[in-house]
Amino acid sequence: MGIMTLTVLVPDDEGMTVLAEVPRVLPVRYQWGEPVPPEASKAEVLIPGKHPPGEQLWRTLPNLKLIQLLSAGAEDWVGKVPDGVLLSTCRGAHGGSTAEWVVAALLSIYRKLDVFAAAQREGRWERQTAETLQGKRVLIVGAGDLGRHLRRRLEPFDARCTMVGMTAREGVHGVRDLPGLLELHDVVVLMVPLTSRTRGMADAEFLARMRDGAVLVNVSRGAVVDTGALVAELTTGRLRAALDVTDPEPPPPGHPLWTAPGLLLTPHVGGAVRGVRGRSYAVAAAEIARYAGGELPDNLVHGEY
């Protein structure tokens, strides 16, 4: 009996190069948004574009068994995949760059880099005493790949990290412990997937439990935070925040987030670094190799995540 070859639809040339090196895999180039090539009738794996396609594409892929995303988040795809088709994320590709963004944001806030940049533009040499990341207690909500990357980068700064996951396990608190933990930490970092359990997690009650002067950092999805409640806290000056994601995203002209005091705001660029496509395809190739070898991918989505 010959070895079966797995046909994989790939949306770009970089992916074609990477997948060509995977044993038992035949990569086939297609253009997202255009009719798929004739080989699509044999395709068992699809590496899609950013957003779920319409029903027309699914009808052209009668043998589809697996959708392999290049993103870590799957919220746009849950409930939109044909019955019986597996969905796998690219968890593991973006943790380092996202954690790096969090460190950069905290250092900028604590060392007043925005204040000194403004003074530079105005030609003022004005010394100020700043805060330090040393000794800060950081609550990392999300104990997966992103959270582990962040802890590894923060601890060399002598920050003290506490991990929180959806369920408790050794070294990780469960979300039920959050009310008692929030008031004990200087920084709260949200690194959770967007699900029905996490939507609106950081609401008015959550924020009110944070200690005065604490910093909320959100690198998950904008809807994890109640924007109105956060703006209210920022307006009083009681809390500070760093957001790489917002709700709505992007904020429309005139939205309070544009002018909220104590807020560092970036346009969803935590993972937007050179080389990210290569790292994404390295994870995708490993997932597809497992599937081609008769195993289930490690990053399969179960339920909402």
Side-chain angles (χ1 to χ4, degrees), residues 115-161:
V115 174
F116 293 121
Q120 178 186 355
R121 289 191 298 270
E122 297 168 7
R124 291 185 291 108
W125 186 265
E126 185 176 295
R127 292 172 57 87
Q128 292 191 32
T129 299
E131 296 178 74
T132 177
L133 189 50
Q134 298 172 89
K136 290 292 190 293
R137 298 193 62 176
V138 181
L139 186 65
I140 301 174
V141 185
D145 176 65
L146 270 65
R148 291 190 295 270
H149 272 284
L150 180 59
R151 179 177 61 186
R152 199 168 73 239
R153 284 161 174 77
L154 284 175
E155 288 177 342
F157 285 90
D158 294 329
R160 295 174 289 169
C161 298

Side-chain angles (χ1 to χ4, degrees), residues 4 17 49 56 92 123 130 138 155 172 217 244 253 264 272 279 284:
M4 298 295 291
T17 300
Q56 185 174 357
V138 181
E155 288 177 342
V172 177
V217 181
D244 187 47
L264 187 158
R279 285 188 288 275

